[in-house]
Amino acid sequence: MTPSVVISGSGLWKPDHSISNEELVEAYNAYAEQFNQQNQQAIEQGECASKPLSSAEFIEKASGIKSRYIYIKDGVLDINRMRPNIPERSEDALSDQAEIAIHAAKDALKSANKTPEDIDVVIVSCAYTQRSYPALAIEVQGALGIKGFAFDMLVACSAATFALHRAYEMIAAGTAKSVLVINPELTSPQVNYCDRDSHFIFGDVATAMVVESADTADSEHMFEIMSTKAVTQYSSNIRSNFGYVSRANDADPFAADKLFHQQGRKVFKEVCPMAVEHISEHLSRHQLNSDDVSRWWLHQANINMNTLISRKLLDRQPSLEEAPIVLDTFANTASAGSIIAFCLNHKDLNSGDVGLLCSFGAGYSIGSLVIKKR
Ligand code: CO8
């Protein structure tokens, strides 16, 4: 018989620094005015587009974001730099992303009542890894003293849920006994702080979860994974062309198209119906309807997306208790958003309560888990 698989612990690490909309807009607008002044002639001759101004009110209304955490604040608000100033580390030092992954991992291990000796697989899964190899997951595994094996996974916004799917399958198949899934979302190096349409969207964070067989789990708050569901559909509407081939094709490796960019309106229109259909189908697998779900830990990209999806599923606006929003303080944290929502909002649920964890975004990709409090 397939063993019951549970999420037995979760962890969250956030940077010490944050940037408010007001701070971000003040710096961007000063940068835009300087750019327009320096390029006045080219703009007048139609050779270059002027930079439009940003607004804190627009950002909050369009996205629900008020502030975002940032790993290194230095440099982002400097109008002559407009990107974080993250010092390079030597090859024998712990890498930045492994460091933040370890903070979240330790928090998750503690909440699962586990030590590194109990874990036999580490998956580091996120939107970007700061290098190709050796895998960050193996670096984290080594630093924590975990035996077994480790690997990295990239699935943009669905990296966290898709990694939880892999963890679930490994435990169910008996190829692992306890899997540590970590999502170190260091997004700030990929944000184009010179682009009004996207400069406000992302924040840095790291999350982690421990997935194991119910037979070995003994934590205070554990959730049985009833099932997982994933879908992908190719789209270029959310894209980053950053990659190692730039060296061979002589393209500027840091040009605007090599950073995060998107057709936000199209994404909104295309992803919302996909997510509603996906979630409805997933719940119906268990003869559940939306009213049977006590908590919705939804992807955190845009508050208006979450409102629309929740309304379509429930025929009403859910309370913040039912469908928590963390966008206001964390912003979009790529794959970590739904996991942050879980970390901060699961302890009050009662045995037997059902919850839905769901990500949606670049790819397009949607990943969900139906889980039940033990
Ligand atoms: N300040 C003032 N005005 C602005 C600003 C600004 N900052 N930005 C845009 N405007 C203007 C526009 O130019 C436009 O003006 P006009 O009407 O004159 O053309 C007007 O405001 C309205 O613009 P939009 O139609 O674009 O505004 P929206 O209401 O659609 O809001 C959003 C824009 C917030 C981007 C919205 O479309 C959205 O969130 N869409 C969903 C996108 C989404 O969820 N994407 C997922 C991305 S995350 C992901 O997939 C993970 C990727 C991997 C991680 C990457 C890490 C870096």
Side-chain angles (χ1 to χ4, degrees):
M1 205 179 97
T2 312
S4 246
V5 180
V6 297
I7 294 169
S8 56
S10 59
L12 170 65
W13 172 85
K14 56 185 193 326
D16 293 335
H17 311 287
S18 63
I19 298 180
S20 68
N21 287 349
E22 289 71 21
E23 283 177 285
L24 194 71
V25 166
E26 189 186 332
Y28 169 84
N29 285 350
Y31 157 81
E33 274 161 0
Q34 176 178 271
F35 177 93
N36 293 341
Q37 217 169 27
Q38 286 171 348
N39 296 281
Q40 195 178 355
Q41 212 178 0
I43 293 167
E44 279 167 9
Q45 288 168 357
E47 291 160 7
C48 140
S50 66
K51 292 268 178 198
L53 296 187
S54 185
S55 118
E57 297 72 40
F58 169 87
I59 294 171
E60 189 175 337
K61 191 160 170 279
S63 68
I65 298 165
K66 295 182 187 167
S67 181
R68 71 280 302 139
Y69 288 101
I70 184 107
Y71 177 55
I72 302 275
K73 190 167 177 175
D74 179 40
V76 177
L77 305 178
D78 173 353
I79 66 166
N80 296 309
R81 183 173 172 89
M82 301 297 276
R83 59 190 197 281
N85 188 356
I86 303 177
E88 190 176 23
R89 294 185 178 183
S90 69
E91 288 194 0
D92 51 8
L94 196 64
S95 61
D96 298 277
Q97 237 177 332
E99 183 180 306
I100 67 172
I102 288 168
H103 289 311
K106 285 184 174 167
D107 198 28
L109 286 170
K110 192 169 162 218
S111 96
N113 215 9
K114 291 278 170 267
T115 65
E117 293 78 56
D118 300 315
I119 305 292
D120 54 0
V121 180
V122 179
I123 307 176
V124 164
S125 188
C126 46
Y128 301 94
T129 49
Q130 72 178 90
R131 62 165 187 267
S132 299
Y133 48 83
L136 285 164
I138 303 177
E139 187 180 3
V140 170
Q141 177 197 12
L144 290 175
I146 291 171
K147 296 209 168 62
F149 66 96
F151 59 93
D152 292 347
M153 261 180 81
L154 300 180
V155 202
C157 288
S158 290
T161 55
F162 277 40
L164 289 169
H165 292 186
R166 302 288 80 75
Y168 168 76
E169 285 161 358
M170 282 191 269
I171 309 285
T175 54
K177 58 183 171 57
S178 192
V179 183
L180 179 59
V181 175
I182 322 172
N183 326 105
E185 291 292 10
L186 185 58
T187 63
S188 53
Q190 256 282 325
V191 175
N192 185 352
Y193 291 101
C194 300
D195 172 38
R196 178 184 75 153
D197 291 357
S198 62
H199 74 126
F200 58 87
I201 297 180
F202 293 99
D204 297 328
V205 77
T207 52
M209 280 185 165
V210 174
V211 182
E212 62 179 311
S213 165
D215 300 343
T216 55
D218 64 352
S219 64
E220 196 181 344
H221 302 282
M222 64 176 96
F223 288 80
E224 181 183 340
I225 301 177
M226 294 169 70
S227 69
T228 65
K229 180 173 165 65
V231 68
T232 51
Q233 183 182 302
Y234 184 64
S235 165
S236 272
N237 287 334
I238 310 170
R239 195 169 172 111
S240 159
N241 292 320
F242 183 77
Y244 74 104
V245 177
S246 293
R247 179 167 179 264
N249 60 23
D250 298 328
D252 172 0
F254 308 117
D257 75 293
K258 306 298 185 296
L259 305 177
F260 168 88
H261 57 286
Q262 69 168 352
Q263 303 285 330
R265 276 273 130 189
K266 280 193 188 159
V267 174
F268 197 108
K269 281 198 186 130
E270 291 171 7
V271 170
C272 288
M274 268 180 81
V276 171
E277 191 188 342
H278 177 97
I279 293 169
S280 304
E281 280 178 16
H282 195 175
L283 292 175
S284 69
R285 238 195 242 173
H286 299 278
Q287 285 80 48
L288 292 168
N289 59 49
S290 298
D291 288 324
D292 299 318
V293 177
S294 302
R295 186 119 329 144
W296 304 84
W297 300 286
L298 294 181
H299 186 60
Q300 307 278 319
N302 177 297
I303 196 166
N304 300 318
M305 271 178 121
N306 288 29
T307 303
L308 184 65
I309 291 168
S310 308
R311 275 226 182 107
K312 290 258 185 249
L313 287 165
L314 285 159
D315 246 350
R316 64 179 170 82
Q317 183 60 37
S319 67
L320 280 176
E321 194 189 329
E322 288 173 285
I325 296 289
V326 302
L327 273 163
D328 49 349
T329 46
F330 284 89
N332 182 337
T333 50
S335 79
S338 57
I339 313 296
I340 303 172
F342 176 91
C343 287
L344 300 176
N345 302 278
H346 69 275
K347 291 186 178 160
D348 59 318
L349 290 179
N350 298 313
S351 176
D353 284 349
V354 170
L356 182 108
L357 192 71
C358 184
S359 66
F360 34 84
Y364 297 134
S365 58
I366 303 184
S368 56
L369 294 93
V370 178
I371 61 180
K372 185 161 44 170
K373 182 97 189 249
R374 296 275 287 197

